[in-house]
């Protein structure tokens, strides 16, 4: 019985230390640029971790908006997204369907299509 109590105390102390360290880590990341850089380098250098971080960032409206705003200011990233979308007919259909919901954009899309049609002849 004494061994069980000892192991229970060890487990409780370990859990307490882990919880305490987790709180300290969050504070250290926000206040210590060196620690923050190491954590971010670790995440960005590991595809699985990077994917998990992107999933977390995209799961909330507020962080999704930040990610999309950052993405849209990066020309290379925008080109890569457009390239991927251009290779998928369903995505092109989706973009066109969204675009033509606005009357001025619909006119623009129709003008582009007419121009493409004229050059194809």
């Amino acid at each position: 019985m004494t061994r069980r109590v000892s192991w229970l105390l060890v487990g409780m102390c370990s859990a307490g230390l882990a919880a305490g360290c987790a709180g300290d880590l969050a504070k250290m990341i926000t206040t210590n640029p060196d620690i923050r850089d190491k954590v971010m380098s670790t995440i960005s250098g590991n595809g699985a971790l990077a994917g998990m971080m992107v999933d977390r960032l995209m799961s909330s409206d507020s962080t999704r908006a930040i990610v999309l705003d950052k993405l849209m200011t990066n020309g290379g990233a925008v080109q890569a997204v457009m390239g991927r979308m251009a290779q998928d007919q369903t995505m092109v259909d989706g973009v066109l369907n969204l675009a033509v919901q606005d009357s001025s954009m619909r006119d623009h899309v129709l003008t582009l299509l007419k121009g493409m049609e004229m050059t194809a002849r």
Side-chain angles (χ1 to χ4, degrees):
M1 187 68 143
T2 306
R3 277 193 165 172
R4 285 187 182 176
V5 171
S6 295
W7 281 112
L8 180 62
L9 287 173
V10 168
M12 288 173 54
C13 288
S14 297
L17 287 173
C21 289
D24 291 341
L25 181 59
K27 184 177 180 183
M28 288 181 355
I29 289 172
T30 57
T31 60
N32 186 327
D34 293 331
I35 298 291
R36 182 175 43 241
D37 186 52
K38 286 179 184 176
V39 169
M40 293 173 112
S41 293
T42 300
I43 292 170
S44 64
N46 180 308
L49 289 176
M52 290 168 44
M53 181 56 70
V54 169
D55 287 342
R56 284 201 181 189
L57 292 170
M58 298 305 281
S59 68
S60 144
D61 289 341
S62 59
T63 54
R64 184 182 315 115
I66 293 167
V67 170
L68 291 174
D69 288 345
K70 289 287 190 179
L71 172 73
M72 297 307 288
T73 62
N74 183 317
V78 172
Q79 286 291 328
V81 169
M82 289 190 304
R84 290 266 179 103
M85 293 179 77
Q87 295 172 357
D88 184 325
Q89 286 183 342
T90 303
M91 287 188 188
V92 171
D93 291 346
V95 169
L96 288 172
N97 284 330
L98 286 172
V100 298
Q101 290 178 14
D102 175 55
S103 60
S104 64
M105 188 59 73
R106 181 177 43 248
D107 293 342
H108 178 67
V109 169
L110 288 173
T111 300
L112 290 173
L113 292 172
K114 287 177 186 175
M116 290 168 52
E117 185 178 52
M118 288 174 20
T119 59
R121 291 181 182 178

